[in-house]
Amino acid sequence: MSESSTPYRVLARKYRPQNFNELIGQDAMVTTLANAIRRGRLAHAFLLTGVRGVGKTSTARLIAKALNCIGPDGQGGPTIDPCGVCEPCVAIAEGRHIDVVEMDAASHTSIDDVREIIEAVRYASVSARYKIYIIDEVHMLSKSAFNGLLKTLEEPPAHVKFLFATTEVNKVPITVLSRCQRFDLRRITADKLAAHFTNVVAAEGVEADPEALALIARAAEGSARDGLSILDQAIAHGSGRVEAQQVRDMLGLSDRGAVRRLFGEMLKGDAAAVLASIRGQYDLGVEPVAMLHGLLETCHAITRAKVAGTDDPALSAEEREAYGDWAGKLGFATLHRLWQLLLKGHGEVQTAAMPIEAAEMALLRVVHASQLPDPGELARRLASGDLNLPVAPAPAQPPAAEPQGALMAVPVPAVAAVPTPTAAPAPTPVETPPLAVVQAPATASLPEPEPEPATPSLPATGEAIHALLLPENALIAQLFHDYAAIVRLEGEALLITRHQRLPQTFAGDVANILKRCTGRTWSVAMVDEAGTPSLLARIRAEEDAARNAILESPLVKAALEAFPDAELIDYSVPEKRSLAS
């Protein structure tokens, strides 16, 4: 069997848009470009940004075609509808036009690569109307490359146009953004992607289930290229026919019906059925993350149905019916709680060492939450007093006293009084009346309030402050003792002379300790003013005064004069004694 002379081209390349009519999902940008071309208000630089696969590079090539198209007769001008048959259009489509230069910034990041562009823009185009530079993934350029491009980008020659494409516009310097006309390409909606895939499979002569194409469109997440790659794989997987079950098996997606059954079992609080459903899907090859993802989609779809109805064309008839039924039964509070619980479980399963066990625990947590009362309803019942609380068993002896508002047990009087007999019969056992839980009357006496503890007196001296600091923080107390010179101490205000040995946090530490000790808020600050000497300085001054007094005594002076080399090594001041002793 002879092989075809033409190599196979993947669908993402084969069905790349060749004109603006084939560019799906970007109507706003096409309208802006059409008006700019029609009125001759063309910018010198365009920046195209968006997620992968929405058509940034394809749009750049279409703009190059639109600006350089000369029409079938060779007399045309710039147009939003390039003919596609003239030499510039054909050459640009095939990527061989000499005046349309495409550069991948991911592999050409240096200033030398940009310098080549700067040198080349001075020369006129060879055959086209405009010399166009398409730089893909422009955010990959180095800082020096961006700086080298700035001047040329701001004031390029009239025959030069720049077209930039990037998926990470936040990495492009603001100086570059301000010199470009920016277009944000949107994600392509699932219904438009499904319609596009329908046209593709028809052109390829392949049969496909609409549900299968809808699954591929959802999996593409707004990217036409990703969707076409998945469709290409699905066609090969299905041997010429694309079926929904085959797509689920290929992508590892959970069956939508199984997801709805699992969601219903969670709402019923049937833990055993939930565990059985999880294991059943896991045995079929469904990943635990995919299960949680499907449940999140279901919760979101029900919420949307509750707000805007079930008119999503990507949903099957069964899904619309089920979502509409749940939307009528579930409140927004319940849906929001379900979403938060499932979202937390999804994150846990993604990072768990045992994903299936983590999925089971996450869904059991949801089952447990489904049996709890709604917080809003519980608050309303608390406010109205309509609570069906269980009656506690009666104690052997009734309590002597209960505080006001407490639940207490009191005997209920008998329904019918027993008449007193004339003769005294033998004593019969008296039946103890039942106990009921009632609310204590509001007129019950209040317990005597406990006396408030006395507020500690405020310290009025440095010694008193040191005494408070010492048991709380020995280091802070030592610093206060040695270096704190008090400028002012009035009530809860304390000013201390700034000292190089005192840390910057000293004032705050002292204030916190004094607040704990006195129960009042203190204002402590360090200022550049002289204050009274610190406790250590005062002790040393007293010691120096005592020493000088000893040295000035006549007896010591005479001793020092008789023995010049003598020194006063130590001394003690004797206590004064009475004459009687």
PDB file of all heavy atoms in Angstrom, residues 167-194:
ATOM      1  N   THR A 167       1.060  35.432  26.401  1.00  0.00           N
ATOM      2  CA  THR A 167       0.092  34.842  27.326  1.00  0.00           C
ATOM      3  C   THR A 167       0.221  35.424  28.730  1.00  0.00           C
ATOM      4  O   THR A 167      -0.636  35.182  29.568  1.00  0.00           O
ATOM      5  CB  THR A 167       0.296  33.313  27.402  1.00  0.00           C
ATOM      6  OG1 THR A 167       1.666  33.038  27.730  1.00  0.00           O
ATOM      7  CG2 THR A 167      -0.046  32.660  26.080  1.00  0.00           C
ATOM      8  N   GLU A 168       1.299  36.165  28.993  1.00  0.00           N
ATOM      9  CA  GLU A 168       1.540  36.724  30.327  1.00  0.00           C
ATOM     10  C   GLU A 168       1.828  38.209  30.182  1.00  0.00           C
ATOM     11  O   GLU A 168       2.970  38.652  30.251  1.00  0.00           O
ATOM     12  CB  GLU A 168       2.692  35.996  31.018  1.00  0.00           C
ATOM     13  CG  GLU A 168       2.451  34.512  31.196  1.00  0.00           C
ATOM     14  CD  GLU A 168       3.561  33.833  31.970  1.00  0.00           C
ATOM     15  OE1 GLU A 168       3.984  34.380  33.004  1.00  0.00           O
ATOM     16  OE2 GLU A 168       4.015  32.769  31.525  1.00  0.00           O
ATOM     17  N   VAL A 169       0.761  38.970  29.992  1.00  0.00           N
ATOM     18  CA  VAL A 169       0.929  40.399  29.741  1.00  0.00           C
ATOM     19  C   VAL A 169       1.457  41.127  30.968  1.00  0.00           C
ATOM     20  O   VAL A 169       2.052  42.204  30.848  1.00  0.00           O
ATOM     21  CB  VAL A 169      -0.427  40.995  29.289  1.00  0.00           C
ATOM     22  CG1 VAL A 169      -1.421  40.995  30.434  1.00  0.00           C
ATOM     23  CG2 VAL A 169      -0.245  42.380  28.704  1.00  0.00           C
ATOM     24  N   ASN A 170       1.284  40.562  32.138  1.00  0.00           N
ATOM     25  CA  ASN A 170       1.779  41.214  33.353  1.00  0.00           C
ATOM     26  C   ASN A 170       3.298  41.254  33.413  1.00  0.00           C
ATOM     27  O   ASN A 170       3.874  42.033  34.188  1.00  0.00           O
ATOM     28  CB  ASN A 170       1.241  40.501  34.593  1.00  0.00           C
ATOM     29  CG  ASN A 170       1.619  39.029  34.627  1.00  0.00           C
ATOM     30  OD1 ASN A 170       1.303  38.285  33.706  1.00  0.00           O
ATOM     31  ND2 ASN A 170       2.284  38.600  35.679  1.00  0.00           N
ATOM     32  N   LYS A 171       3.972  40.428  32.600  1.00  0.00           N
ATOM     33  CA  LYS A 171       5.431  40.437  32.562  1.00  0.00           C
ATOM     34  C   LYS A 171       5.999  41.403  31.522  1.00  0.00           C
ATOM     35  O   LYS A 171       7.216  41.553  31.431  1.00  0.00           O
ATOM     36  CB  LYS A 171       5.951  39.024  32.282  1.00  0.00           C
ATOM     37  CG  LYS A 171       5.666  38.029  33.392  1.00  0.00           C
ATOM     38  CD  LYS A 171       6.296  36.683  33.102  1.00  0.00           C
ATOM     39  CE  LYS A 171       6.044  35.700  34.235  1.00  0.00           C
ATOM     40  NZ  LYS A 171       6.650  34.368  33.965  1.00  0.00           N
ATOM     41  N   VAL A 172       5.145  42.017  30.751  1.00  0.00           N
ATOM     42  CA  VAL A 172       5.594  42.998  29.763  1.00  0.00           C
ATOM     43  C   VAL A 172       5.742  44.350  30.454  1.00  0.00           C
ATOM     44  O   VAL A 172       4.817  44.789  31.146  1.00  0.00           O
ATOM     45  CB  VAL A 172       4.596  43.095  28.590  1.00  0.00           C
ATOM     46  CG1 VAL A 172       5.055  44.125  27.566  1.00  0.00           C
ATOM     47  CG2 VAL A 172       4.432  41.730  27.931  1.00  0.00           C
ATOM     48  N   PRO A 173       6.876  45.022  30.299  1.00  0.00           N
ATOM     49  CA  PRO A 173       7.061  46.322  30.973  1.00  0.00           C
ATOM     50  C   PRO A 173       5.983  47.317  30.581  1.00  0.00           C
ATOM     51  O   PRO A 173       5.493  47.331  29.442  1.00  0.00           O
ATOM     52  CB  PRO A 173       8.450  46.769  30.509  1.00  0.00           C
ATOM     53  CG  PRO A 173       9.144  45.512  30.108  1.00  0.00           C
ATOM     54  CD  PRO A 173       8.091  44.604  29.571  1.00  0.00           C
ATOM     55  N   ILE A 174       5.626  48.165  31.529  1.00  0.00           N
ATOM     56  CA  ILE A 174       4.588  49.158  31.281  1.00  0.00           C
ATOM     57  C   ILE A 174       5.020  50.148  30.207  1.00  0.00           C
ATOM     58  O   ILE A 174       4.189  50.706  29.483  1.00  0.00           O
ATOM     59  CB  ILE A 174       4.246  49.892  32.603  1.00  0.00           C
ATOM     60  CG1 ILE A 174       3.004  50.758  32.441  1.00  0.00           C
ATOM     61  CG2 ILE A 174       5.434  50.681  33.096  1.00  0.00           C
ATOM     62  CD1 ILE A 174       1.746  50.010  32.158  1.00  0.00           C
ATOM     63  N   THR A 175       6.328  50.351  30.058  1.00  0.00           N
ATOM     64  CA  THR A 175       6.824  51.262  29.014  1.00  0.00           C
ATOM     65  C   THR A 175       6.538  50.710  27.626  1.00  0.00           C
ATOM     66  O   THR A 175       6.349  51.471  26.678  1.00  0.00           O
ATOM     67  CB  THR A 175       8.325  51.474  29.195  1.00  0.00           C
ATOM     68  OG1 THR A 175       8.980  50.197  29.317  1.00  0.00           O
ATOM     69  CG2 THR A 175       8.606  52.294  30.452  1.00  0.00           C
ATOM     70  N   VAL A 176       6.508  49.383  27.503  1.00  0.00           N
ATOM     71  CA  VAL A 176       6.159  48.765  26.215  1.00  0.00           C
ATOM     72  C   VAL A 176       4.647  48.784  26.010  1.00  0.00           C
ATOM     73  O   VAL A 176       4.153  49.074  24.911  1.00  0.00           O
ATOM     74  CB  VAL A 176       6.709  47.331  26.154  1.00  0.00           C
ATOM     75  CG1 VAL A 176       6.234  46.621  24.888  1.00  0.00           C
ATOM     76  CG2 VAL A 176       8.229  47.337  26.212  1.00  0.00           C
ATOM     77  N   LEU A 177       3.897  48.488  27.073  1.00  0.00           N
ATOM     78  CA  LEU A 177       2.436  48.487  26.952  1.00  0.00           C
ATOM     79  C   LEU A 177       1.902  49.851  26.527  1.00  0.00           C
ATOM     80  O   LEU A 177       0.947  49.937  25.745  1.00  0.00           O
ATOM     81  CB  LEU A 177       1.814  48.089  28.298  1.00  0.00           C
ATOM     82  CG  LEU A 177       2.045  46.649  28.772  1.00  0.00           C
ATOM     83  CD1 LEU A 177       1.445  46.443  30.152  1.00  0.00           C
ATOM     84  CD2 LEU A 177       1.444  45.662  27.788  1.00  0.00           C
ATOM     85  N   SER A 178       2.517  50.910  27.034  1.00  0.00           N
ATOM     86  CA  SER A 178       2.029  52.252  26.715  1.00  0.00           C
ATOM     87  C   SER A 178       2.284  52.633  25.273  1.00  0.00           C
ATOM     88  O   SER A 178       1.708  53.607  24.777  1.00  0.00           O
ATOM     89  CB  SER A 178       2.684  53.277  27.643  1.00  0.00           C
ATOM     90  OG  SER A 178       4.095  53.313  27.428  1.00  0.00           O
ATOM     91  N   ARG A 179       3.131  51.897  24.568  1.00  0.00           N
ATOM     92  CA  ARG A 179       3.451  52.212  23.174  1.00  0.00           C
ATOM     93  C   ARG A 179       2.689  51.331  22.195  1.00  0.00           C
ATOM     94  O   ARG A 179       2.926  51.408  20.984  1.00  0.00           O
ATOM     95  CB  ARG A 179       4.958  52.056  22.941  1.00  0.00           C
ATOM     96  CG  ARG A 179       5.801  53.123  23.625  1.00  0.00           C
ATOM     97  CD  ARG A 179       7.279  52.730  23.637  1.00  0.00           C
ATOM     98  NE  ARG A 179       8.140  53.849  24.011  1.00  0.00           N
ATOM     99  CZ  ARG A 179       8.395  54.237  25.254  1.00  0.00           C
ATOM    100  NH1 ARG A 179       7.817  53.600  26.255  1.00  0.00           N
ATOM    101  NH2 ARG A 179       9.206  55.262  25.491  1.00  0.00           N
ATOM    102  N   CYS A 180       1.796  50.465  22.701  1.00  0.00           N
ATOM    103  CA  CYS A 180       1.086  49.515  21.845  1.00  0.00           C
ATOM    104  C   CYS A 180      -0.423  49.699  21.984  1.00  0.00           C
ATOM    105  O   CYS A 180      -0.914  50.173  23.011  1.00  0.00           O
ATOM    106  CB  CYS A 180       1.441  48.069  22.216  1.00  0.00           C
ATOM    107  SG  CYS A 180       3.189  47.671  22.081  1.00  0.00           S
ATOM    108  N   GLN A 181      -1.130  49.291  20.935  1.00  0.00           N
ATOM    109  CA  GLN A 181      -2.579  49.197  21.001  1.00  0.00           C
ATOM    110  C   GLN A 181      -2.917  47.770  21.422  1.00  0.00           C
ATOM    111  O   GLN A 181      -2.603  46.819  20.712  1.00  0.00           O
ATOM    112  CB  GLN A 181      -3.203  49.526  19.642  1.00  0.00           C
ATOM    113  CG  GLN A 181      -4.703  49.728  19.698  1.00  0.00           C
ATOM    114  CD  GLN A 181      -5.232  50.267  18.369  1.00  0.00           C
ATOM    115  OE1 GLN A 181      -5.744  49.501  17.554  1.00  0.00           O
ATOM    116  NE2 GLN A 181      -5.103  51.557  18.153  1.00  0.00           N
ATOM    117  N   ARG A 182      -3.541  47.655  22.576  1.00  0.00           N
ATOM    118  CA  ARG A 182      -3.701  46.333  23.203  1.00  0.00           C
ATOM    119  C   ARG A 182      -5.059  45.733  22.878  1.00  0.00           C
ATOM    120  O   ARG A 182      -6.085  46.414  22.951  1.00  0.00           O
ATOM    121  CB  ARG A 182      -3.532  46.460  24.714  1.00  0.00           C
ATOM    122  CG  ARG A 182      -3.821  45.196  25.502  1.00  0.00           C
ATOM    123  CD  ARG A 182      -3.489  45.397  26.965  1.00  0.00           C
ATOM    124  NE  ARG A 182      -3.996  44.315  27.801  1.00  0.00           N
ATOM    125  CZ  ARG A 182      -3.767  44.199  29.095  1.00  0.00           C
ATOM    126  NH1 ARG A 182      -3.030  45.108  29.720  1.00  0.00           N
ATOM    127  NH2 ARG A 182      -4.272  43.191  29.786  1.00  0.00           N
ATOM    128  N   PHE A 183      -5.041  44.422  22.572  1.00  0.00           N
ATOM    129  CA  PHE A 183      -6.265  43.655  22.355  1.00  0.00           C
ATOM    130  C   PHE A 183      -6.223  42.420  23.261  1.00  0.00           C
ATOM    131  O   PHE A 183      -5.281  41.626  23.183  1.00  0.00           O
ATOM    132  CB  PHE A 183      -6.407  43.216  20.892  1.00  0.00           C
ATOM    133  CG  PHE A 183      -6.659  44.344  19.932  1.00  0.00           C
ATOM    134  CD1 PHE A 183      -5.628  44.874  19.176  1.00  0.00           C
ATOM    135  CD2 PHE A 183      -7.925  44.878  19.795  1.00  0.00           C
ATOM    136  CE1 PHE A 183      -5.859  45.907  18.297  1.00  0.00           C
ATOM    137  CE2 PHE A 183      -8.171  45.911  18.915  1.00  0.00           C
ATOM    138  CZ  PHE A 183      -7.127  46.440  18.171  1.00  0.00           C
ATOM    139  N   ASP A 184      -7.235  42.282  24.108  1.00  0.00           N
ATOM    140  CA  ASP A 184      -7.349  41.115  24.976  1.00  0.00           C
ATOM    141  C   ASP A 184      -8.284  40.104  24.323  1.00  0.00           C
ATOM    142  O   ASP A 184      -9.498  40.327  24.259  1.00  0.00           O
ATOM    143  CB  ASP A 184      -7.884  41.527  26.348  1.00  0.00           C
ATOM    144  CG  ASP A 184      -6.873  42.320  27.144  1.00  0.00           C
ATOM    145  OD1 ASP A 184      -6.778  43.546  26.945  1.00  0.00           O
ATOM    146  OD2 ASP A 184      -6.174  41.712  27.965  1.00  0.00           O
ATOM    147  N   LEU A 185      -7.708  39.007  23.838  1.00  0.00           N
ATOM    148  CA  LEU A 185      -8.508  37.971  23.192  1.00  0.00           C
ATOM    149  C   LEU A 185      -9.178  37.123  24.269  1.00  0.00           C
ATOM    150  O   LEU A 185      -8.531  36.668  25.214  1.00  0.00           O
ATOM    151  CB  LEU A 185      -7.636  37.100  22.295  1.00  0.00           C
ATOM    152  CG  LEU A 185      -7.368  37.667  20.884  1.00  0.00           C
ATOM    153  CD1 LEU A 185      -6.507  38.914  20.947  1.00  0.00           C
ATOM    154  CD2 LEU A 185      -6.710  36.625  19.997  1.00  0.00           C
ATOM    155  N   ARG A 186     -10.460  36.921  24.118  1.00  0.00           N
ATOM    156  CA  ARG A 186     -11.251  36.238  25.138  1.00  0.00           C
ATOM    157  C   ARG A 186     -11.189  34.729  24.969  1.00  0.00           C
ATOM    158  O   ARG A 186     -10.889  34.216  23.889  1.00  0.00           O
ATOM    159  CB  ARG A 186     -12.712  36.695  25.064  1.00  0.00           C
ATOM    160  CG  ARG A 186     -12.894  38.199  25.197  1.00  0.00           C
ATOM    161  CD  ARG A 186     -14.356  38.565  25.032  1.00  0.00           C
ATOM    162  NE  ARG A 186     -14.564  40.002  25.157  1.00  0.00           N
ATOM    163  CZ  ARG A 186     -15.747  40.598  25.013  1.00  0.00           C
ATOM    164  NH1 ARG A 186     -16.810  39.862  24.734  1.00  0.00           N
ATOM    165  NH2 ARG A 186     -15.852  41.906  25.151  1.00  0.00           N
ATOM    166  N   ARG A 187     -11.483  34.055  26.090  1.00  0.00           N
ATOM    167  CA  ARG A 187     -11.695  32.603  25.985  1.00  0.00           C
ATOM    168  C   ARG A 187     -12.916  32.338  25.106  1.00  0.00           C
ATOM    169  O   ARG A 187     -13.906  33.067  25.168  1.00  0.00           O
ATOM    170  CB  ARG A 187     -11.936  31.998  27.369  1.00  0.00           C
ATOM    171  CG  ARG A 187     -10.726  31.987  28.282  1.00  0.00           C
ATOM    172  CD  ARG A 187     -11.101  31.364  29.611  1.00  0.00           C
ATOM    173  NE  ARG A 187      -9.995  31.381  30.550  1.00  0.00           N
ATOM    174  CZ  ARG A 187      -9.107  30.405  30.695  1.00  0.00           C
ATOM    175  NH1 ARG A 187      -9.229  29.324  29.946  1.00  0.00           N
ATOM    176  NH2 ARG A 187      -8.130  30.492  31.571  1.00  0.00           N
ATOM    177  N   ILE A 188     -12.842  31.276  24.331  1.00  0.00           N
ATOM    178  CA  ILE A 188     -13.942  30.923  23.442  1.00  0.00           C
ATOM    179  C   ILE A 188     -14.937  30.082  24.233  1.00  0.00           C
ATOM    180  O   ILE A 188     -14.563  29.130  24.926  1.00  0.00           O
ATOM    181  CB  ILE A 188     -13.414  30.148  22.224  1.00  0.00           C
ATOM    182  CG1 ILE A 188     -12.298  30.948  21.542  1.00  0.00           C
ATOM    183  CG2 ILE A 188     -14.541  29.877  21.239  1.00  0.00           C
ATOM    184  CD1 ILE A 188     -11.581  30.182  20.456  1.00  0.00           C
ATOM    185  N   THR A 189     -16.207  30.456  24.147  1.00  0.00           N
ATOM    186  CA  THR A 189     -17.228  29.766  24.929  1.00  0.00           C
ATOM    187  C   THR A 189     -17.396  28.327  24.450  1.00  0.00           C
ATOM    188  O   THR A 189     -17.087  27.987  23.300  1.00  0.00           O
ATOM    189  CB  THR A 189     -18.560  30.501  24.840  1.00  0.00           C
ATOM    190  OG1 THR A 189     -18.968  30.578  23.463  1.00  0.00           O
ATOM    191  CG2 THR A 189     -18.432  31.912  25.414  1.00  0.00           C
ATOM    192  N   ALA A 190     -17.908  27.475  25.350  1.00  0.00           N
ATOM    193  CA  ALA A 190     -18.038  26.052  25.040  1.00  0.00           C
ATOM    194  C   ALA A 190     -19.009  25.806  23.887  1.00  0.00           C
ATOM    195  O   ALA A 190     -18.781  24.919  23.054  1.00  0.00           O
ATOM    196  CB  ALA A 190     -18.490  25.283  26.282  1.00  0.00           C
ATOM    197  N   ASP A 191     -20.087  26.587  23.815  1.00  0.00           N
ATOM    198  CA  ASP A 191     -21.044  26.354  22.726  1.00  0.00           C
ATOM    199  C   ASP A 191     -20.446  26.721  21.369  1.00  0.00           C
ATOM    200  O   ASP A 191     -20.678  26.028  20.377  1.00  0.00           O
ATOM    201  CB  ASP A 191     -22.335  27.132  22.985  1.00  0.00           C
ATOM    202  CG  ASP A 191     -22.092  28.609  23.193  1.00  0.00           C
ATOM    203  OD1 ASP A 191     -20.966  28.969  23.576  1.00  0.00           O
ATOM    204  OD2 ASP A 191     -23.024  29.411  22.976  1.00  0.00           O
ATOM    205  N   LYS A 192     -19.638  27.809  21.314  1.00  0.00           N
ATOM    206  CA  LYS A 192     -18.987  28.162  20.047  1.00  0.00           C
ATOM    207  C   LYS A 192     -17.937  27.132  19.658  1.00  0.00           C
ATOM    208  O   LYS A 192     -17.783  26.807  18.467  1.00  0.00           O
ATOM    209  CB  LYS A 192     -18.364  29.551  20.157  1.00  0.00           C
ATOM    210  CG  LYS A 192     -19.375  30.681  20.228  1.00  0.00           C
ATOM    211  CD  LYS A 192     -18.700  32.031  20.211  1.00  0.00           C
ATOM    212  CE  LYS A 192     -19.739  33.155  20.222  1.00  0.00           C
ATOM    213  NZ  LYS A 192     -19.101  34.496  20.186  1.00  0.00           N
ATOM    214  N   LEU A 193     -17.207  26.626  20.638  1.00  0.00           N
ATOM    215  CA  LEU A 193     -16.233  25.583  20.330  1.00  0.00           C
ATOM    216  C   LEU A 193     -16.927  24.326  19.822  1.00  0.00           C
ATOM    217  O   LEU A 193     -16.470  23.696  18.850  1.00  0.00           O
ATOM    218  CB  LEU A 193     -15.410  25.258  21.579  1.00  0.00           C
ATOM    219  CG  LEU A 193     -14.295  26.237  21.950  1.00  0.00           C
ATOM    220  CD1 LEU A 193     -13.640  25.805  23.250  1.00  0.00           C
ATOM    221  CD2 LEU A 193     -13.262  26.327  20.842  1.00  0.00           C
ATOM    222  N   ALA A 194     -18.041  23.942  20.458  1.00  0.00           N
ATOM    223  CA  ALA A 194     -18.761  22.750  20.006  1.00  0.00           C
ATOM    224  C   ALA A 194     -19.269  22.922  18.577  1.00  0.00           C
ATOM    225  O   ALA A 194     -19.197  21.982  17.760  1.00  0.00           O
ATOM    226  CB  ALA A 194     -19.914  22.452  20.961  1.00  0.00           C
TER     227      ALA A 194
END
